[in-house]
Amino acid sequence: MTDSITLSEKKLLKKIQWRLVVWLVIAFVLFEAGFAVGTFYVLKNQLAYQSRQNMEQLMLPRIHEAIDLLQFEHRDRQSLPNNDSSHELTAVWIVTDDGRLLRTGSAPLVNGAAVNQLVINQRTMVGRDKYPHFSIATISGVPLLVGAFPIFKKSHLLGYLASVSSLAEMTRTLHELYLIDLYLGLVGLVAILIMTRVLSGRALIPIRKALSRQRNFVNDAAHELRTPLAILRGTLELAQGEEELLVIQESLRDGLHEVDYLSSLVSNLSTLARMESGTMELDFQSVDLSEITQSVAQALLPMYETSGITLVVERMDQAVLRGDPVRLRQLLLILLENAMKYNLDNGQVHVSLKPARQGWLLTIEDTGLGISEEDLPHIFDRFFRSIKTASYQEGSGLGLAIAAWIIDRHKGRVTVHSKVGLGTTFNVWLPQH
Ligand code: ADP
């Protein structure tokens, strides 16, 4: 069998392959983007949450101090300087309700005056409820997290405690992470491109083989049909030009014979095509193989008698298994017909059925022509006919291909032993379940 496919099929396969590659790459890009955005978002929130926690930790111990300062300030607004940062440098600011700084903290890496203004501007955010407020602002390109903790006395807002911390480190970490993600994503994309190209090529191998099988099947079928059709045409032409009734009748008989052969060939071809395309459903049920064997043998007995071959069926017990009765019958017909067809004058066929390894062993032994060693590995190939037997008996070379398929679908095994001139033995093992 050649493993060739046509140009259009090649183009089709290439198209499918590229489609697979494109879809896989799109799926990868979407996954990667989703993953990157997700990690980025989670990490950003986590880091922001951590910064807020740190800030709260920093502010909480200062609340009493802030209350004292703010209360004092309220009693005597004029007596304190509005900015007292001389004695201590902290990261905490204390701001009055009207926006004066009672204490300034140390500004993180940026312009102190601008940070002070930023802290004062937090006034617009605090005072509505008693929880701390956080916001992010940028000064001279440095992202800053500003937290403000409102301080109340009897529901009256005295002022607030504020803290500022730089988010530069966090932003840098996120940026680096983003770059690493991008880099890994690009490397992954190239790797996935190469991998999908190779893997999709491999995934298409069965399709390539199926296409090739299909092509060979059509070619072989056409080839097989051509010969009987040519013979039929020849016989009809002969009959047409003939005047003698006897010769005409004989030609018509030959023609009819070819028509019969053609119909059996077409029927086998259609069976095999359905089998190979997977559209043939088997009807599995509990069957008695011994009953099927005996019934097929009985049906073939007249043909055996006509050809002078003796058919011996050993006494057999019930052999129940799960199988398709129609297909099992077909299997026996093929094997028993072959044993008769390829037998010698006054030959014998011996059939037995015995239990073996949780199944049944069907043995069909003939004393016929036998099969040569070089032909033996090919007898289950469709359209294969041994040259030695081809002229001996009519056939299409499809019977054993069908038989092999039936055995395979029943999860069975078949072995053949043969000696040229002595005979052939087919051993078919079929499991009970
Ligand atoms: P067909 O009988 O139509 O040629 P099969 O597929 O049944 O096709 O058999 C394929 C070939 O295997 C036959 O042509 C024949 O050469 C060989 N063969 C099958 N069964 C036997 C047998 N019992 N004895 C000798 N040769 C056999």
Side-chain angles (χ1 to χ4, degrees):
M1 186 174 83
T2 54
D3 197 31
S4 61
I5 52 172
T6 62
L7 204 65
S8 61
E9 286 165 350
K10 256 188 197 153
K11 272 190 188 161
L12 181 73
L13 286 175
K14 270 264 165 290
K15 207 164 141 185
I16 295 174
Q17 189 175 14
W18 277 115
R19 277 195 182 186
L20 274 173
V21 172
V22 169
W23 281 115
L24 280 169
V25 166
I26 289 177
F28 172 79
V29 169
L30 287 180
F31 171 78
E32 177 62 22
F35 183 74
V37 170
T39 347
F40 192 73
Y41 186 76
V42 168
L43 212 79
K44 187 178 162 186
N45 277 348
Q46 193 63 35
L47 287 172
Y49 177 73
Q50 200 63 47
S51 304
R52 287 176 188 198
Q53 291 278 92
N54 291 345
M55 202 170 260
E56 279 190 37
Q57 294 287 312
L58 198 74
M59 287 196 288
L60 282 176
R62 305 275 172 173
I63 285 180
H64 288 294
E65 188 190 348
I67 292 173
D68 286 350
L69 262 172
L70 284 163
Q71 269 183 331
F72 184 62
E73 155 70 7
H74 260 263
R75 247 181 280 131
D76 187 359
R77 275 183 185 265
Q78 308 309 317
S79 60
L80 271 175
N82 69 349
N83 190 346
D84 176 18
S85 59
S86 52
H87 63 288
E88 202 186 350
L89 208 64
T90 70
V92 177
W93 280 253
I94 298 171
V95 190
T96 64
D97 61 332
D98 57 358
R100 279 180 305 125
L101 290 171
L102 293 187
R103 169 160 298 169
T104 54
S106 51
L109 303 168
V110 280
N111 181 328
V115 174
N116 286 349
Q117 193 53 49
L118 183 69
V119 169
I120 292 167
N121 291 349
Q122 289 298 297
R123 244 168 62 241
T124 51
M125 303 191 90
V126 292
R128 279 178 275 280
D129 52 49
K130 292 182 178 172
Y131 299 106
H133 287 269
F134 294 92
S135 61
I136 292 175
T138 306
I139 292 179
S140 318
V142 180
L144 298 170
L145 175 68
V146 190
F149 201 102
I151 291 168
F152 286 87
K153 191 182 179 202
K154 291 184 189 144
S155 327
H156 179 70
L157 180 70
L158 295 179
Y160 57 92
L161 192 68
S163 184
V164 179
S165 71
S166 166
L167 293 177
E169 191 62 34
M170 178 185 119
T171 320
R172 210 173 8 258
T173 311
L174 283 174
H175 190 69
E176 272 167 17
L177 190 88
Y178 178 73
L179 281 180
I180 291 173
D181 234 14
L182 198 75
Y183 175 71
L184 284 180
L186 281 176
V187 173
L189 193 68
V190 174
I192 212 91
L193 246 168
I194 298 169
M195 260 158 57
T196 46
R197 179 87 175 81
V198 174
L199 291 180
S200 58
R202 293 212 175 155
L204 289 177
I205 289 175
I207 301 181
R208 199 181 287 270
K209 284 194 173 157
L211 279 173
S212 165
R213 265 208 311 274
Q214 189 74 16
R215 170 151 315 283
N216 288 328
F217 184 80
V218 173
N219 285 343
D220 290 346
H223 177 80
E224 286 303 313
L225 288 168
R226 211 170 290 134
T227 318
L229 277 172
I231 297 174
L232 184 62
R233 189 184 169 83
T235 7
L236 289 178
E237 273 173 358
L238 192 77
Q240 195 184 29
E242 193 55 62
E243 283 185 359
E244 217 175 301
L245 190 63
L246 269 176
V247 183
I248 295 174
Q249 278 178 338
E250 199 178 328
S251 299
L252 288 178
R253 216 173 14 252
D254 289 348
L256 276 175
H257 179 78
E258 280 313 308
V259 169
D260 285 346
Y261 172 68
L262 271 168
S263 6
S264 98
L265 181 62
V266 168
S267 146
N268 276 344
L269 277 174
S270 113
T271 308
L272 205 66
R274 275 162 62 218
M275 283 174 173
E276 294 204 346
S277 65
T279 52
M280 184 176 286
E281 290 293 320
L282 292 196
D283 178 19
F284 283 98
Q285 50 185 270
S286 185
V287 290
D288 180 2
L289 190 59
S290 75
E291 196 187 300
I292 294 175
T293 311
Q294 287 170 65
S295 130
V296 173
Q298 193 66 36
L300 288 178
L301 211 54
M303 272 169 74
Y304 264 79
E305 274 167 10
T306 319
S307 13
I309 313 287
T310 316
L311 178 62
V312 182
V313 181
E314 248 184 46
R315 204 192 72 81
M316 44 185 77
D317 298 327
Q318 220 187 24
V320 180
L321 57 86
R322 275 201 75 72
D324 181 323
V326 177
R327 296 298 150 207
L328 288 175
R329 208 182 149 77
Q330 189 177 13
L331 168 70
L332 272 141
L333 262 171
I334 293 167
L335 296 178
L336 285 178
E337 261 184 12
N338 278 353
M340 180 193 73
K341 269 185 356 187
Y342 303 111
N343 222 315
L344 297 167
D345 286 346
N346 304 315
Q348 265 207 11
V349 174
H350 195 270
V351 184
S352 69
L353 183 62
K354 298 207 166 76
R357 287 183 294 122
Q358 298 177 347
W360 308 103
L361 183 68
L362 172 76
T363 306
I364 298 172
E365 194 179 347
D366 66 57
T367 54
L369 296 169
I371 306 162
S372 69
E373 255 178 54
E374 76 248 33
D375 285 348
L376 207 54
H378 306 290
I379 55 168
F380 293 101
D381 296 348
R382 56 174 188 224
F383 298 112
F384 176 83
R385 304 206 71 214
S386 166
I387 301 172
K388 288 141 206 146
T389 54
S391 53
Y392 189 78
Q393 277 288 346
E394 204 168 58
S396 60
L398 292 179
L400 286 184
I402 295 174
W405 184 87
I406 296 172
I407 296 167
D408 184 64
R409 286 302 309 271
H410 284 80
K411 298 195 168 38
R413 302 253 182 290
V414 58
T415 52
V416 188
H417 303 282
S418 191
K419 276 242 149 43
V420 178
L422 287 178
T424 307
T425 306
F426 279 82
N427 288 308
V428 180
W429 175 80
L430 292 169
Q432 278 171 4
H433 304 291

